[in-house]
Amino acid sequence: VRSSGFLSTSICPHVRSMSMNAWLNPITVWSGDPNAATNLKIYRRESDSLHPGPANLWVFIDENPTSINDGSFISDPEIQDWIDYPAYYHNNAAGIAFADGHAEIHQWRDPAILTTVNQSSGENPQSPPQQNPPTDLNYLQALSTLIIN
């Protein structure tokens, strides 16, 4: 970090690296297709988390600093792409906090996560997982929300 005084031009890291699950009481509901209705559960109250259960619903995740574009982290089970990218700077792992209060360190193996995302455009490109099968993506999607029919 380099700085030359209060309110001066400086090179600083991002001020945060944590993001919240996009399905927890969102202001605007994410939809990969703006013309499609979402079939995913939105959690508005604590009692909504009974399915899948608070121990299986993540609230906060370490997000890759180059992918931070808002306060929420989207992991959409209906889209087989990474939309936001978890951090990997803790020995290729990220911290994940759950609704029941426990936290885990999850080590990633998908090369799509383990590379720096180019954020020069200000938009996150959707990127397909490079893992086959997409174990990391499936893991996070299963803990993000439920598909309802």
Side-chain angles (χ1 to χ4, degrees):
V1 175
R2 181 175 36 130
S3 178
S4 57
F6 183 71
L7 295 178
S8 65
T9 304
S10 61
I11 299 169
C12 296
H14 289 275
V15 294
R16 72 170 175 85
S17 66
M18 300 299 288
S19 292
M20 190 169 180
N21 186 339
W23 309 109
L24 299 177
N25 201 20
I27 295 169
T28 308
V29 176
W30 154 263
S31 174
D33 178 358
N35 299 318
T38 183
N39 295 322
L40 302 172
K41 181 161 180 65
I42 305 299
Y43 300 91
R44 301 241 182 241
R45 296 177 198 84
E46 190 174 352
S47 61
D48 290 343
S49 71
L50 295 176
H51 300 288
N56 296 311
L57 181 65
W58 68 268
V59 179
F60 295 106
I61 189 167
D62 250 337
E63 185 171 353
N64 185 317
T66 59
S67 129
I68 292 175
N69 58 356
D70 56 21
S72 63
F73 187 100
I74 300 169
S75 183
D76 188 335
E78 295 184 317
I79 298 175
Q80 284 299 298
D81 288 336
W82 288 105
I83 298 162
D84 290 323
Y85 299 86
Y88 64 92
Y89 44 75
H90 298 294
N91 196 22
N92 293 340
I96 304 172
F98 290 80
D100 71 343
H102 88 276
E104 296 178 5
I105 300 292
H106 184 80
Q107 190 160 35
W108 309 107
R109 297 192 176 12
D110 188 342
I113 296 173
L114 302 177
T115 57
T116 303
V117 179
N118 182 353
Q119 258 318 95
S120 59
S121 68
E123 293 293 323
N124 282 0
Q126 283 181 280
S127 174
Q130 295 172 21
Q131 226 176 11
N132 190 8
T135 309
D136 286 339
L137 182 64
N138 292 342
Y139 163 80
L140 195 57
Q141 288 175 337
L143 298 171
S144 297
T145 186
L146 297 174
I147 297 175
I148 51 177
N149 296 334

